[in-house]
Amino acid sequence: MPDPMKIRATLQGDVADIRVLMAHPMETGLRKQGGKVVPAHYIQTITAQLNGRTVFSADISQAISRNPVFAFKVKGAKAGDKVVITWKDNEGQSRTDETTVQGGS
Amino acid sequence: MQMNRRTLLQAGAALGAALLVPMRALAAWNKAAFEAKSEADAMRALGMGSPAESKDIEIRAPEIAENGAVVPIEITSNIPGTTSISVFIEKNPFPYTGTFEFPSGTMPYVHLRAKLGETTPVRVVVAASGKFYTTAKEVKVTIGGCGG
Amino acid sequence: MRLAFAGTLAAAAALLASCATTHRGNAEAVAMMKRDFHAEGIATMDRLDQDAVQAECTKYFNDPPADKANELQKAQMATIKWPADGKLLGDWKAGEKIAQNGRGMTWHDKGGVGGSCYNCHQIGPAESSFGTVGPSLYQFGKLRGHGPDMQRYVYGKIFNAKAYNACSTMPRFGHVGALTEHQIKDLTALLLDPASPVNQ
Amino acid sequence: MRHALVLGIAAAVAAGAPWLPAAAQNPDPTAAEFDKFREIMEQDNPAELFEAKGAELWKTPRGPNHVSLEQCDLGLGPGVVKGAYVQLPRYFADAGRVMDAEARIVHCMVHQQGFNFEDLAKKPFSSADRTPDPVLLVTYVAGQSRGMKMAVPQDRPEERAAYEIGDQIFHYRAGSYDFACASCHGIDGARIRTQPLPNFTSKAHAMAASQGWPGYRMTGGVMHTLQWRLNDCFRQQRFPEPGYTSEALSALITYLTVNANGQVYRGPGIKR
């Protein structure tokens, strides 16, 4: 079971600043350990929903850093809106976490 | 055989892109693009043709990266109608790094962190109203500490 | 701003001067390290034992009295093994590789030892990732000449930096057997050979 | 004009200018570029992922004795975690020695949970596929002092002795290359390759020894503590290996942290 994400969603005016940390090795398949190649293992797709509507999606490669960090901004959000983020990796593992938009400055 | 398959893939990708640009370009994780060993091949697999140079794309990334394993990159598109931002790290073994999609209501902005194997241009291609625009920024990768 | 510059320098100098007369014992610390450290890989426990240079430089915060410094330098000078063939300049290209290599003498290092030169010095113009613990050596030969005396100085300095400055931060690469005669010749060439990029 | 300003700042930094804000302090253009992005990196720091795991671990009954660490005394009384990290190292009567955070947590794991010290000390540092429990716990505990001022005690004679011994270890030149900690970290404004070297003998830079540790290290993408940092420093120093959580390391950490008392600790950080 993959470790949970850390999601922060803060309102700035009516824009939700959404920042996410994901626990994932993002193995390139090029790294060697003890003389053996560590197989590629990396997140391929990410989707984010705000109150059930897709607001962000990404297809990514193994060149994204280990323990990935992403941030994006969604207009028309309000405090209490539900943010759900899902990632899927090349080994078929996935993880979904959620948070609510926090009122900010 | 190889040629045919490749041509077919390209055609498929181009067709897909042409049909879906306003809605969702990311129909499926584009294996051909991600496995391409050059930026040009990857862009071809993504059906981007030759994007026009644009000054309306901002890339914020360090001139010299403290560590090539984690290079922060922030991209903002000021092109009206932006639907996606794609990133290519030219000198990486597989340059195509990803595409970020923005349905209407999401600002054309993304922060990501990427691995850079060596000093390289980071190229961004923006899709806006069915057209492609590009700009690039060079990031230097150096030896950091004691090297031992 | 200029005034502040002069003022802070004076303060720094006063601070340094006060350190020069300070020395102290460290028996407790040494005993604790000998109890709490252990040999690892090639790093045996005798590495914690100080020789005269290490002991005196620790004691005097790297600023021993002049007569003590002279005495140490004389003894260190006597350790330098000059090449039997009398030649001090090797191949600057090989020297550049040695200067780049920061490996050697740590716990699990095996094989070749590098000079770690770029860790502390600017040297060739092509390498922008250089340290500043030591002075810049860029254009060293061009600025200071490359005659026999300079060759001898550079070779000797790399072999045993403490022969010239008792408490130099620079390791004694030849004296401790980290670099070979051949490697030191190559590094000497990197700094002095008129064809070396250092002197372009 | 600009040139004069840069010179002035360089000189001020060389002399350790406490009146300048941290952001204005870096005269080295490479280091200044790193500083510019440091804030962005810190804003979203994968260290938080490890902090969260450490929090779980802290309250989970574990070890042969099947108890949690909730009764572990980090110096502020059993179970008090908030603010404990910025007041370590300190003297613990039950152990008869000064202990840094990791030494103390390992002590609790051994004496309360029943873990074997030798097992914990066998591979105490993070690798690509493994983050040892003490590392997660230290990260959690450190996070519970975020935003607080360093207040490492020097009330007891044992704590003052630890500072003095740490000072001596810091200046002790030995090993194949004649290095002391002070060789690289006792000078102002220098760097190794492109990596700036804080001068830990200067009050102005002292916080650099605590700030950012425990830290998420970009190289390898792993979490490391001060115990690891000092271990690897001694490796680079060409010394033998210091014992994990040994008194010598606690003494050195005491020396490095006391000098920063009064400055604000920002929590687990991010490192090159």
Side-chain angles (χ1 to χ4, degrees):
Chain A
M1 173 79 170
D3 287 331
M5 286 175 241
K6 270 266 187 186
I7 309 170
R8 241 194 307 263
T10 325
L11 266 192
Q12 294 165 343
D14 77 329
V15 177
D17 178 30
I18 302 173
R19 323 189 69 91
V20 56
L21 299 171
M22 301 168 177
H24 203 283
M26 299 300 286
E27 287 292 352
T28 58
L30 304 169
R31 190 174 70 89
K32 275 187 187 170
Q33 190 166 299
K36 275 196 296 202
V37 173
V38 181
H41 182 206
Y42 56 98
I43 294 173
Q44 291 187 320
T45 62
I46 301 159
T47 56
Q49 294 183 322
L50 188 77
N51 290 341
R53 180 176 74 92
T54 297
V55 289
F56 177 84
S57 56
D59 283 2
I60 60 168
S61 82
Q62 64 274 56
I64 294 296
S65 304
R66 186 177 164 89
N67 296 320
V69 173
F70 295 100
F72 52 95
K73 294 173 175 171
V74 184
K75 282 188 276 199
K78 53 191 187 310
D81 282 357
K82 192 164 115 177
V83 178
V84 180
I85 299 180
T86 299
W87 59 252
K88 288 194 179 73
D89 72 21
N90 67 322
E91 288 183 359
Q93 282 184 316
S94 75
R95 171 93 211 178
T96 300
D97 290 279
E98 59 179 70
T99 191
T100 51
V101 175
Q102 304 294 309
S105 47
Chain B
M1 180 65 189
Q2 190 67 26
M3 269 295 272
N4 284 343
R5 193 169 151 265
R6 199 161 180 179
T7 319
L8 195 66
L9 273 172
Q10 281 167 21
L15 187 65
L19 284 174
L20 296 169
V21 157
M23 294 165 49
R24 179 173 164 76
L26 303 179
W29 193 81
N30 193 324
K31 197 168 187 292
F34 280 113
E35 288 180 355
K37 292 204 167 71
S38 79
E39 191 175 280
D41 285 351
M43 283 170 60
R44 212 169 296 133
L46 289 161
M48 289 174 170
S50 1
E53 285 291 329
S54 170
K55 288 193 165 43
D56 296 322
I57 306 165
E58 289 170 35
I59 305 176
R60 184 161 187 241
E63 307 275 342
I64 304 178
E66 185 168 8
N67 191 324
V70 190
V71 179
I73 303 170
E74 248 172 17
I75 304 156
T76 306
S77 168
N78 296 318
I79 303 170
T82 295
T83 49
S84 77
I85 287 174
S86 299
V87 180
F88 302 83
I89 299 165
E90 209 173 289
K91 300 233 176 110
N92 271 2
F94 305 104
Y96 179 40
T97 305
T99 293
F100 305 88
E101 276 230 311
F102 312 99
S104 79
T106 302
M107 294 167 80
Y109 154 91
V110 67
H111 171 101
L112 61 117
R113 293 174 194 179
K115 299 168 197 153
L116 272 59
E118 56 184 301
T119 297
T120 175
V122 172
R123 177 165 297 283
V124 169
V125 175
V126 164
S129 311
K131 291 202 179 89
F132 296 101
Y133 304 88
T134 187
T135 192
K137 181 183 166 77
E138 173 116 334
V139 176
K140 245 194 217 170
V141 174
T142 62
I143 299 170
C146 299
Chain C
M1 240 21 218
R2 295 252 175 212
L3 260 177
F5 182 17
T8 47
L9 260 192
L15 198 71
L16 278 176
S18 74
C19 284
T21 52
T22 315
H23 58 86
R24 59 172 178 186
N26 54 12
E28 256 185 301
V30 173
M32 194 183 272
M33 282 195 282
K34 288 192 171 173
R35 184 195 68 193
D36 287 353
F37 282 55
H38 55 262
E40 180 64 22
I42 58 171
T44 44
M45 280 298 280
D46 56 5
R47 289 193 184 187
L48 284 180
D49 296 330
Q50 292 180 314
D51 75 350
V53 160
Q54 295 170 335
E56 296 297 331
C57 294
T58 299
K59 184 173 166 189
Y60 290 103
F61 284 95
N62 300 316
D63 194 7
D67 55 337
K68 177 60 76 181
N70 286 336
E71 183 192 314
L72 289 170
Q73 283 166 205
K74 228 169 119 188
Q76 293 300 305
M77 189 62 84
T79 69
I80 300 178
K81 292 191 190 71
W82 301 99
D85 63 4
K87 290 202 181 75
L88 298 177
L89 287 192
D91 170 8
W92 67 262
K93 281 185 193 138
E96 169 69 17
K97 287 201 187 94
I98 298 161
Q100 287 281 1
N101 183 352
R103 295 202 169 269
M105 312 298 273
T106 74
W107 306 336
H108 303 295
D109 276 331
K110 10 184 192 299
V113 177
S116 311
C117 310
Y118 279 101
N119 284 4
C120 296
H121 296 281
Q122 179 178 29
I123 312 176
E127 181 54 83
S128 61
S129 173
F130 56 82
T132 59
V133 175
S136 170
L137 304 174
Y138 178 53
Q139 301 214 313
F140 189 89
K142 200 171 174 178
L143 295 171
R144 303 186 56 170
H146 55 268
D149 286 354
M150 192 47 70
Q151 290 181 23
R152 212 174 146 80
Y153 168 67
V154 171
Y155 185 94
K157 179 91 183 180
I158 300 170
F159 193 99
N160 188 339
K162 272 73 173 181
Y164 303 84
N165 171 3
C167 296
S168 167
T169 305
M170 183 164 152
R172 296 171 279 179
F173 289 106
H175 179 56
V176 298
L179 296 179
T180 63
E181 174 182 310
H182 198 85
Q183 287 177 300
I184 299 175
K185 284 180 174 186
D186 291 341
L187 287 171
T188 306
L190 178 66
L191 292 194
L192 296 181
D193 192 326
S196 161
V198 169
N199 298 315
Q200 300 311 302
Chain D
M1 188 59 200
R2 166 164 285 203
H3 196 66
L5 182 68
V6 169
L7 256 182
I9 290 175
V13 167
W19 62 86
L20 282 174
Q25 284 207 355
N26 235 320
D28 178 329
T30 305
E33 183 73 1
F34 294 170
D35 286 351
K36 208 163 81 189
F37 285 88
R38 167 79 45 190
E39 209 179 313
I40 293 179
M41 300 298 259
E42 277 181 0
Q43 191 181 1
D44 301 287
N45 184 351
E48 281 184 46
L49 298 166
F50 298 89
E51 204 178 318
K53 284 185 89 168
E56 280 303 308
L57 215 52
W58 183 265
K59 57 185 186 208
T60 308
R62 299 171 69 243
N65 300 344
H66 203 69
V67 293
S68 78
L69 285 169
E70 285 164 311
Q71 287 307 303
C72 176
D73 183 357
L74 296 171
L76 305 180
V80 182
V81 182
K82 203 119 200 122
Y85 188 80
V86 287
Q87 295 188 44
L88 287 165
R90 67 162 63 233
Y91 178 77
F92 289 92
D94 62 0
R97 57 165 278 203
V98 168
M99 293 176 145
D100 60 277
E102 191 156 354
R104 187 60 188 174
I105 287 166
V106 165
H107 178 89
C108 287
M109 289 177 76
V110 170
H111 289 89
Q112 295 181 2
Q113 296 184 309
F115 286 106
N116 184 307
F117 176 78
E118 276 68 36
D119 293 342
L120 297 174
K122 213 172 277 164
K123 283 179 99 182
F125 306 123
S126 301
S127 61
D129 42 24
R130 180 175 161 272
T131 308
D133 293 343
V135 173
L136 296 170
L137 292 163
V138 170
T139 307
Y140 159 63
V141 168
Q144 295 296 304
S145 282
R146 193 179 272 111
M148 297 183 187
K149 281 186 180 163
M150 298 294 293
V152 181
Q154 285 280 281
D155 305 327
R156 297 184 56 100
E158 295 89 348
E159 289 161 351
R160 290 193 292 272
Y163 178 93
E164 176 58 25
I165 289 172
D167 186 352
Q168 289 170 14
I169 293 173
F170 187 83
H171 288 95
Y172 188 78
R173 293 188 74 168
S176 319
Y177 286 175
D178 311 325
F179 290 150
C181 305
S183 302
C184 288
H185 291 292
I187 48 177
D188 279 317
R191 47 175 226 235
I192 289 275
R193 288 278 186 169
T194 57
Q195 188 70 14
L197 299 165
N199 178 359
F200 296 132
T201 64
S202 114
K203 191 103 184 145
H205 293 179
M207 194 56 201
S210 303
Q211 206 67 277
W213 297 107
Y216 178 74
R217 195 152 194 257
M218 296 183 229
T219 304
V222 293
M223 199 67 210
H224 280 312
T225 62
L226 261 182
Q227 284 282 330
W228 171 85
R229 177 60 277 174
L230 295 182
N231 180 282
D232 201 59
C233 274
F234 281 114
R235 183 182 68 83
Q236 301 273 17
Q237 229 173 294
R238 276 78 182 172
F239 272 41
E241 185 173 24
Y244 176 60
T245 67
S246 64
E247 230 177 318
L249 289 183
S250 291
L252 186 52
I253 294 173
T254 303
Y255 171 69
L256 292 170
T257 48
V258 164
N259 289 339
N261 273 352
Q263 301 193 54
V264 174
Y265 174 65
R266 293 202 301 265
I270 189 159
K271 292 282 180 181
R272 182 189 64 81

PDB file of all heavy atoms in Angstrom, chain C residues 52-53 55-57 59-60 63-75 162 166-167:
ATOM      1  N   ALA C  52      53.120  15.825  14.755  1.00  0.00           N
ATOM      2  CA  ALA C  52      53.531  17.125  15.314  1.00  0.00           C
ATOM      3  C   ALA C  52      52.757  18.283  14.686  1.00  0.00           C
ATOM      4  O   ALA C  52      52.276  19.177  15.387  1.00  0.00           O
ATOM      5  CB  ALA C  52      55.033  17.315  15.125  1.00  0.00           C
ATOM      6  N   VAL C  53      52.605  18.246  13.360  1.00  0.00           N
ATOM      7  CA  VAL C  53      51.894  19.322  12.667  1.00  0.00           C
ATOM      8  C   VAL C  53      50.451  19.419  13.166  1.00  0.00           C
ATOM      9  O   VAL C  53      49.966  20.492  13.547  1.00  0.00           O
ATOM     10  CB  VAL C  53      51.920  19.089  11.133  1.00  0.00           C
ATOM     11  CG1 VAL C  53      50.818  19.874  10.439  1.00  0.00           C
ATOM     12  CG2 VAL C  53      53.282  19.474  10.557  1.00  0.00           C
ATOM     13  N   ALA C  55      49.076  18.252  15.890  1.00  0.00           N
ATOM     14  CA  ALA C  55      48.966  18.576  17.312  1.00  0.00           C
ATOM     15  C   ALA C  55      49.221  20.065  17.556  1.00  0.00           C
ATOM     16  O   ALA C  55      48.450  20.735  18.251  1.00  0.00           O
ATOM     17  CB  ALA C  55      49.940  17.727  18.120  1.00  0.00           C
ATOM     18  N   GLU C  56      50.301  20.584  16.973  1.00  0.00           N
ATOM     19  CA  GLU C  56      50.648  21.992  17.215  1.00  0.00           C
ATOM     20  C   GLU C  56      49.618  22.938  16.580  1.00  0.00           C
ATOM     21  O   GLU C  56      49.274  23.971  17.145  1.00  0.00           O
ATOM     22  CB  GLU C  56      52.052  22.308  16.695  1.00  0.00           C
ATOM     23  CG  GLU C  56      53.160  21.537  17.412  1.00  0.00           C
ATOM     24  CD  GLU C  56      53.257  21.870  18.905  1.00  0.00           C
ATOM     25  OE1 GLU C  56      52.913  22.997  19.288  1.00  0.00           O
ATOM     26  OE2 GLU C  56      53.658  20.980  19.683  1.00  0.00           O
ATOM     27  N   CYS C  57      49.142  22.590  15.386  1.00  0.00           N
ATOM     28  CA  CYS C  57      48.175  23.463  14.712  1.00  0.00           C
ATOM     29  C   CYS C  57      46.842  23.468  15.448  1.00  0.00           C
ATOM     30  O   CYS C  57      46.164  24.497  15.523  1.00  0.00           O
ATOM     31  CB  CYS C  57      48.011  23.055  13.247  1.00  0.00           C
ATOM     32  SG  CYS C  57      49.538  23.329  12.299  1.00  0.00           S
ATOM     33  N   LYS C  59      46.583  22.946  18.706  1.00  0.00           N
ATOM     34  CA  LYS C  59      46.863  23.631  19.964  1.00  0.00           C
ATOM     35  C   LYS C  59      46.834  25.147  19.783  1.00  0.00           C
ATOM     36  O   LYS C  59      46.297  25.872  20.621  1.00  0.00           O
ATOM     37  CB  LYS C  59      48.236  23.186  20.450  1.00  0.00           C
ATOM     38  CG  LYS C  59      48.648  23.737  21.789  1.00  0.00           C
ATOM     39  CD  LYS C  59      49.952  23.083  22.230  1.00  0.00           C
ATOM     40  CE  LYS C  59      50.570  23.852  23.390  1.00  0.00           C
ATOM     41  NZ  LYS C  59      51.931  23.343  23.678  1.00  0.00           N
ATOM     42  N   TYR C  60      47.412  25.624  18.688  1.00  0.00           N
ATOM     43  CA  TYR C  60      47.526  27.079  18.484  1.00  0.00           C
ATOM     44  C   TYR C  60      46.476  27.636  17.514  1.00  0.00           C
ATOM     45  O   TYR C  60      46.668  28.694  16.936  1.00  0.00           O
ATOM     46  CB  TYR C  60      48.926  27.423  17.975  1.00  0.00           C
ATOM     47  CG  TYR C  60      50.000  27.243  19.021  1.00  0.00           C
ATOM     48  CD1 TYR C  60      50.839  26.133  18.981  1.00  0.00           C
ATOM     49  CD2 TYR C  60      50.162  28.173  20.041  1.00  0.00           C
ATOM     50  CE1 TYR C  60      51.823  25.960  19.944  1.00  0.00           C
ATOM     51  CE2 TYR C  60      51.147  28.008  21.007  1.00  0.00           C
ATOM     52  CZ  TYR C  60      51.973  26.900  20.955  1.00  0.00           C
ATOM     53  OH  TYR C  60      52.936  26.727  21.906  1.00  0.00           O
ATOM     54  N   ASP C  63      47.718  28.947  14.246  1.00  0.00           N
ATOM     55  CA  ASP C  63      48.576  30.129  14.197  1.00  0.00           C
ATOM     56  C   ASP C  63      49.670  30.019  15.272  1.00  0.00           C
ATOM     57  O   ASP C  63      49.681  30.778  16.242  1.00  0.00           O
ATOM     58  CB  ASP C  63      47.714  31.386  14.409  1.00  0.00           C
ATOM     59  CG  ASP C  63      48.472  32.642  14.032  1.00  0.00           C
ATOM     60  OD1 ASP C  63      49.594  32.522  13.480  1.00  0.00           O
ATOM     61  OD2 ASP C  63      47.958  33.741  14.314  1.00  0.00           O
ATOM     62  N   PRO C  64      50.608  29.094  15.074  1.00  0.00           N
ATOM     63  CA  PRO C  64      51.637  28.883  16.099  1.00  0.00           C
ATOM     64  C   PRO C  64      52.636  30.040  16.112  1.00  0.00           C
ATOM     65  O   PRO C  64      52.742  30.776  15.133  1.00  0.00           O
ATOM     66  CB  PRO C  64      52.312  27.585  15.652  1.00  0.00           C
ATOM     67  CG  PRO C  64      52.068  27.500  14.191  1.00  0.00           C
ATOM     68  CD  PRO C  64      50.782  28.215  13.914  1.00  0.00           C
ATOM     69  N   PRO C  65      53.376  30.170  17.202  1.00  0.00           N
ATOM     70  CA  PRO C  65      54.436  31.184  17.235  1.00  0.00           C
ATOM     71  C   PRO C  65      55.432  30.944  16.101  1.00  0.00           C
ATOM     72  O   PRO C  65      55.603  29.798  15.655  1.00  0.00           O
ATOM     73  CB  PRO C  65      55.114  30.952  18.589  1.00  0.00           C
ATOM     74  CG  PRO C  65      54.193  30.082  19.371  1.00  0.00           C
ATOM     75  CD  PRO C  65      53.316  29.364  18.425  1.00  0.00           C
ATOM     76  N   ALA C  66      56.094  32.003  15.652  1.00  0.00           N
ATOM     77  CA  ALA C  66      56.946  31.923  14.461  1.00  0.00           C
ATOM     78  C   ALA C  66      58.028  30.848  14.578  1.00  0.00           C
ATOM     79  O   ALA C  66      58.262  30.083  13.629  1.00  0.00           O
ATOM     80  CB  ALA C  66      57.572  33.278  14.190  1.00  0.00           C
ATOM     81  N   ASP C  67      58.667  30.758  15.720  1.00  0.00           N
ATOM     82  CA  ASP C  67      59.750  29.770  15.829  1.00  0.00           C
ATOM     83  C   ASP C  67      59.204  28.346  15.748  1.00  0.00           C
ATOM     84  O   ASP C  67      59.801  27.468  15.124  1.00  0.00           O
ATOM     85  CB  ASP C  67      60.566  29.995  17.111  1.00  0.00           C
ATOM     86  CG  ASP C  67      59.692  29.986  18.363  1.00  0.00           C
ATOM     87  OD1 ASP C  67      58.474  30.243  18.232  1.00  0.00           O
ATOM     88  OD2 ASP C  67      60.219  29.713  19.461  1.00  0.00           O
ATOM     89  N   LYS C  68      58.043  28.146  16.338  1.00  0.00           N
ATOM     90  CA  LYS C  68      57.391  26.823  16.260  1.00  0.00           C
ATOM     91  C   LYS C  68      57.019  26.507  14.807  1.00  0.00           C
ATOM     92  O   LYS C  68      57.249  25.392  14.321  1.00  0.00           O
ATOM     93  CB  LYS C  68      56.149  26.835  17.165  1.00  0.00           C
ATOM     94  CG  LYS C  68      55.311  25.580  17.155  1.00  0.00           C
ATOM     95  CD  LYS C  68      56.054  24.333  17.596  1.00  0.00           C
ATOM     96  CE  LYS C  68      56.255  24.253  19.096  1.00  0.00           C
ATOM     97  NZ  LYS C  68      57.013  23.030  19.490  1.00  0.00           N
ATOM     98  N   ALA C  69      56.476  27.499  14.118  1.00  0.00           N
ATOM     99  CA  ALA C  69      56.086  27.309  12.714  1.00  0.00           C
ATOM    100  C   ALA C  69      57.313  26.965  11.862  1.00  0.00           C
ATOM    101  O   ALA C  69      57.284  26.030  11.046  1.00  0.00           O
ATOM    102  CB  ALA C  69      55.406  28.565  12.180  1.00  0.00           C
ATOM    103  N   ASN C  70      58.394  27.696  12.072  1.00  0.00           N
ATOM    104  CA  ASN C  70      59.623  27.440  11.300  1.00  0.00           C
ATOM    105  C   ASN C  70      60.147  26.029  11.536  1.00  0.00           C
ATOM    106  O   ASN C  70      60.553  25.335  10.608  1.00  0.00           O
ATOM    107  CB  ASN C  70      60.708  28.456  11.681  1.00  0.00           C
ATOM    108  CG  ASN C  70      60.390  29.824  11.081  1.00  0.00           C
ATOM    109  OD1 ASN C  70      59.672  29.916  10.079  1.00  0.00           O
ATOM    110  ND2 ASN C  70      60.889  30.876  11.711  1.00  0.00           N
ATOM    111  N   GLU C  71      60.123  25.630  12.780  1.00  0.00           N
ATOM    112  CA  GLU C  71      60.602  24.298  13.160  1.00  0.00           C
ATOM    113  C   GLU C  71      59.767  23.220  12.439  1.00  0.00           C
ATOM    114  O   GLU C  71      60.313  22.278  11.865  1.00  0.00           O
ATOM    115  CB  GLU C  71      60.476  24.182  14.674  1.00  0.00           C
ATOM    116  CG  GLU C  71      60.981  22.911  15.294  1.00  0.00           C
ATOM    117  CD  GLU C  71      60.515  22.824  16.746  1.00  0.00           C
ATOM    118  OE1 GLU C  71      60.639  23.846  17.484  1.00  0.00           O
ATOM    119  OE2 GLU C  71      59.988  21.768  17.128  1.00  0.00           O
ATOM    120  N   LEU C  72      58.435  23.408  12.470  1.00  0.00           N
ATOM    121  CA  LEU C  72      57.547  22.438  11.811  1.00  0.00           C
ATOM    122  C   LEU C  72      57.818  22.422  10.307  1.00  0.00           C
ATOM    123  O   LEU C  72      57.926  21.348   9.695  1.00  0.00           O
ATOM    124  CB  LEU C  72      56.079  22.799  12.057  1.00  0.00           C
ATOM    125  CG  LEU C  72      55.532  22.595  13.476  1.00  0.00           C
ATOM    126  CD1 LEU C  72      54.142  23.220  13.598  1.00  0.00           C
ATOM    127  CD2 LEU C  72      55.478  21.108  13.834  1.00  0.00           C
ATOM    128  N   GLN C  73      57.922  23.588   9.716  1.00  0.00           N
ATOM    129  CA  GLN C  73      58.119  23.670   8.262  1.00  0.00           C
ATOM    130  C   GLN C  73      59.426  23.003   7.836  1.00  0.00           C
ATOM    131  O   GLN C  73      59.472  22.312   6.819  1.00  0.00           O
ATOM    132  CB  GLN C  73      58.080  25.139   7.819  1.00  0.00           C
ATOM    133  CG  GLN C  73      56.646  25.669   7.766  1.00  0.00           C
ATOM    134  CD  GLN C  73      56.533  27.170   7.656  1.00  0.00           C
ATOM    135  OE1 GLN C  73      55.533  27.751   8.040  1.00  0.00           O
ATOM    136  NE2 GLN C  73      57.558  27.827   7.139  1.00  0.00           N
ATOM    137  N   LYS C  74      60.460  23.202   8.623  1.00  0.00           N
ATOM    138  CA  LYS C  74      61.759  22.600   8.311  1.00  0.00           C
ATOM    139  C   LYS C  74      61.640  21.072   8.308  1.00  0.00           C
ATOM    140  O   LYS C  74      62.112  20.393   7.394  1.00  0.00           O
ATOM    141  CB  LYS C  74      62.804  23.043   9.344  1.00  0.00           C
ATOM    142  CG  LYS C  74      64.095  23.529   8.710  1.00  0.00           C
ATOM    143  CD  LYS C  74      64.969  24.204   9.743  1.00  0.00           C
ATOM    144  CE  LYS C  74      66.288  23.436   9.863  1.00  0.00           C
ATOM    145  NZ  LYS C  74      67.111  23.926  10.994  1.00  0.00           N
ATOM    146  N   ALA C  75      60.998  20.556   9.333  1.00  0.00           N
ATOM    147  CA  ALA C  75      60.839  19.102   9.433  1.00  0.00           C
ATOM    148  C   ALA C  75      59.988  18.571   8.278  1.00  0.00           C
ATOM    149  O   ALA C  75      60.256  17.496   7.724  1.00  0.00           O
ATOM    150  CB  ALA C  75      60.209  18.738  10.773  1.00  0.00           C
ATOM    151  N   LYS C 162      52.578  21.635   4.141  1.00  0.00           N
ATOM    152  CA  LYS C 162      52.997  22.125   5.464  1.00  0.00           C
ATOM    153  C   LYS C 162      54.473  22.505   5.507  1.00  0.00           C
ATOM    154  O   LYS C 162      54.935  23.102   6.486  1.00  0.00           O
ATOM    155  CB  LYS C 162      52.695  21.074   6.531  1.00  0.00           C
ATOM    156  CG  LYS C 162      51.290  21.169   7.114  1.00  0.00           C
ATOM    157  CD  LYS C 162      50.196  20.707   6.186  1.00  0.00           C
ATOM    158  CE  LYS C 162      48.842  20.658   6.867  1.00  0.00           C
ATOM    159  NZ  LYS C 162      47.786  20.170   5.949  1.00  0.00           N
ATOM    160  N   ALA C 166      53.046  25.954   7.863  1.00  0.00           N
ATOM    161  CA  ALA C 166      52.926  24.852   8.834  1.00  0.00           C
ATOM    162  C   ALA C 166      51.482  24.397   9.052  1.00  0.00           C
ATOM    163  O   ALA C 166      51.222  23.203   9.165  1.00  0.00           O
ATOM    164  CB  ALA C 166      53.550  25.262  10.160  1.00  0.00           C
ATOM    165  N   CYS C 167      50.560  25.338   9.101  1.00  0.00           N
ATOM    166  CA  CYS C 167      49.180  24.959   9.412  1.00  0.00           C
ATOM    167  C   CYS C 167      48.234  25.176   8.235  1.00  0.00           C
ATOM    168  O   CYS C 167      47.030  25.414   8.420  1.00  0.00           O
ATOM    169  CB  CYS C 167      48.707  25.703  10.657  1.00  0.00           C
ATOM    170  SG  CYS C 167      49.651  25.225  12.124  1.00  0.00           S
TER     171      CYS C 167
END
